[in-house]
Amino acid sequence: MDLTGGSAPARTSKNRPSDLVPDPDAVTPSGSGSPSLPVSGGAGPSSAAPSPGPRVPEARTSAASRSGAGASLPRTSRSRASVPEARGPVVPEAPDARPDARPTVTELRLSAFAGHRSAAHALGPVTLFTGPSGSGKTTTLRAYEALARLGAGDPLDEVFPDAADLVPERARPDAQGRRGFRIGCTVDGPCGPVRLDLAVQAEPRLRIVGERLTARDRTLLATALRDPGRSTVQAEWHTAGATPVTRAPLPDDLLGTALLPLRVAGRTPGQLEVLAAAEQVVVGLRSAFACDPRPERMRAPVPPGEGRLRRDCANLAEVLHRTHNDCPRRHHRLATVAGAGCAGTVTGLGVRELREGTVRAVLERAGRTATPLGRLGDGELRYLALALTLLTGPGVLEMDRVAEVPDAMQGLTLLADGLDRGLDRRQSAELLRLAVEIAGDGHIRVAGSVGDRTAAEARRTPGVTVVDLGA
């Protein structure tokens, strides 16, 4: 089926990214309530007439009421929909099932997103995107982060506050003025490869108009916008019981895959298959941490706290205070790595508790007075922050950790736009070596963008995948 209407989930022979929104040259049937979502030049796409289904409630109230009767979606302090507890991978028996595999995003698809069209990028343990300015390095990583945030339960308008800018320039609106974009990914894990594909309407109102979850050539979940006047989509998921398919409305501003554990009972083999695939995708996506160290925010002393590194790394001293006290082995290793990227002979990383109740990190050098980190250069600070991220894990980073999943089944993907920004050749080479070493055990992966010089070095480094977006 297509993402704007059609048949119920069924076994298919292929699921191409171009199938997510129907052919723009097709004719929309008269009276269809399905949306036209052009993503390239041409007339609006077609869709099949809506099939009978349960009545969709008119009211748009809380996320809980919009997810269907009986579902409870409490909001966190960040106004994000609560993601259901992961109960651990429920792996259906299948030839390619691997119970010990860690959920990992192995492909990113930008079918129609900003300047990208029909792009599919395989992701390895360390993947670096390169290319000239304007080739789409930043938007590629933004698409990954957007999927991760949707998997964590963030509402669509928070993930895409400037959604209209992400519509391909050649996309022309349909008769109702609707345009949008399409992204997706593949998450490998205990269930084997599971595909998630998403069609988003950006104009005139932001909403998810279609979602498809596929595993082993079977569509496990498909959603479609039946009535543009309502704030829900019609969802159909695989059951394989007395009723082969279950239909129900879901909100059009939240990722349906993340809501499935609230709606699927898990009583039949088909329901277990759907649950396992959905949980694998959610766990794989939620493992991402976007890191963009801002040296100008890292120089001042900070008050001690829980010691979870923020995106901008402004609280680097606070985190070093925690690792110094709680993780001495990891802290010592970071000090060793610091010696390879900072000037002089580094003997350690220390933390000073100041009289006003704040803490300041210092670099200890042989035969010299300890140097406050505020005196270091921008490149040194960025290098230290990125190295710390690689040497830690979800528990030390300010990210939505999946607390219900055992650590052995969790991973971390560091997203770093401008990974080598402000770094000299020695720092870039050392950070690249560290990333490859850390990624070797399978717990941490890296996806970042780099310049030509670092890309050339990365091409000579085993274990690194370099994607040239300008080729």
Side-chain angles (χ1 to χ4, degrees):
M1 69 172 284
D2 60 52
L3 287 186
T4 55
S7 61
R11 187 176 297 276
T12 58
S13 58
K14 53 186 175 180
N15 292 279
R16 301 170 298 164
S18 58
D19 292 333
L20 296 183
V21 174
D23 182 1
D25 297 325
V27 178
T28 304
S30 175
S32 171
S34 308
S36 299
L37 186 56
V39 291
S40 62
S46 68
S47 61
S51 58
R55 180 175 177 82
V56 181
E58 296 268 4
R60 179 178 181 86
T61 54
S62 66
S65 64
R66 286 182 280 122
S67 65
S72 176
L73 292 179
R75 293 278 181 167
T76 65
S77 58
R78 296 193 304 162
S79 298
R80 186 188 63 220
S82 175
V83 175
E85 290 189 0
R87 295 163 292 187
V90 183
V91 184
E93 292 185 8
D96 57 347
R98 291 165 294 146
D100 59 338
R102 188 177 292 109
T104 301
V105 179
T106 55
E107 185 182 57
L108 179 66
R109 292 184 294 279
L110 308 178
S111 302
F113 187 74
H116 301 275
R117 178 71 175 171
S118 301
H121 304 300
L123 303 179
V126 179
T127 305
L128 301 179
F129 295 93
T130 189
S133 179
S135 60
K137 301 184 294 294
T138 297
T139 53
T140 297
L141 293 175
R142 182 179 178 184
Y144 190 128
E145 184 184 1
L147 288 169
R149 292 185 61 187
L150 289 171
D154 283 3
L156 196 64
D157 59 352
E158 293 183 11
V159 177
F160 297 114
D162 55 347
D165 295 335
L166 302 175
V167 179
E169 290 183 356
R170 293 177 298 168
R172 292 185 294 179
D174 65 2
Q176 287 75 40
R178 291 175 288 197
R179 299 195 309 159
F181 53 85
R182 295 177 284 141
I183 57 177
C185 66
T186 298
V187 180
D188 209 346
C191 303
V194 180
R195 291 173 56 103
L196 171 67
D197 293 299
L198 203 63
V200 177
Q201 174 186 297
E203 298 172 344
R205 184 171 73 81
L206 182 63
R207 65 199 313 179
I208 296 174
V209 295
E211 181 179 344
R212 179 186 289 144
L213 187 69
T214 310
R216 289 186 289 275
D217 292 330
R218 185 195 300 276
T219 301
L220 303 178
L221 167 72
T223 70
L225 184 64
R226 299 299 192 195
D227 185 347
R230 294 175 176 172
S231 301
T232 57
V233 291
Q234 185 69 12
E236 303 174 336
W237 58 83
H238 180 64
T239 306
T243 303
V245 173
T246 300
R247 297 181 176 89
L250 291 178
D252 65 359
D253 65 341
L254 298 172
L255 188 70
T257 296
L259 299 177
L260 281 178
L262 290 172
R263 305 301 302 273
V264 180
R267 296 191 181 96
T268 69
Q271 290 177 340
L272 289 174
E273 184 179 2
V274 171
L275 281 174
E279 291 180 356
Q280 175 172 300
V281 168
V282 169
V283 172
L285 287 176
R286 285 172 63 180
S287 68
F289 177 72
C291 184
D292 183 19
R294 303 291 296 273
E296 68 276 12
R297 301 179 184 178
M298 300 163 58
R299 302 183 184 281
V302 296
E306 61 177 345
R308 299 185 69 191
L309 190 67
R310 297 196 293 266
R311 178 190 184 115
D312 62 0
C313 302
N315 63 331
L316 178 65
E318 173 196 348
V319 179
L320 291 175
H321 182 262
R322 174 185 173 183
T323 59
H324 182 270
N325 294 326
D326 299 343
C327 315
R329 180 182 299 179
R330 187 178 297 169
H331 188 88
H332 177 74
R333 188 176 183 187
L334 177 63
T336 302
V337 171
C342 296
T345 303
V346 178
T347 59
L349 277 171
V351 179
R352 303 288 187 265
E353 296 184 1
L354 304 182
R355 187 173 302 174
E356 58 269 24
T358 58
V359 294
R360 169 187 289 154
V362 298
L363 200 65
E364 298 170 350
R365 293 190 173 103
R368 294 174 53 181
T369 304
T371 304
L373 259 58
R375 292 180 176 268
L376 300 184
D378 286 2
E380 291 176 305
L381 287 174
R382 280 185 55 84
Y383 171 81
L384 283 175
L386 291 167
L388 174 61
T389 306
L390 288 169
L391 289 171
T392 57
V396 187
L397 305 175
E398 191 176 68
M399 59 180 293
D400 191 28
R401 188 184 182 195
V402 190
E404 302 85 3
V405 177
D407 288 342
M409 292 299 296
Q410 289 195 49
L412 169 67
T413 298
L414 169 64
L415 303 178
D417 186 23
L419 181 66
D420 58 346
R421 187 189 316 132
L423 306 186
D424 61 26
R425 188 183 300 274
R426 179 187 60 155
Q427 292 166 333
S428 299
E430 180 60 25
L431 202 61
L432 186 61
R433 183 202 64 78
L434 180 63
V436 172
E437 177 188 346
I438 295 298
D441 66 5
H443 283 277
I444 293 181
R445 295 165 70 90
V446 178
S449 64
V450 295
D452 293 340
R453 186 186 65 193
T454 304
E457 177 71 23
R459 290 189 182 95
R460 299 190 294 268
T461 305
V464 179
T465 301
V466 179
V467 179
D468 191 347
L469 298 177

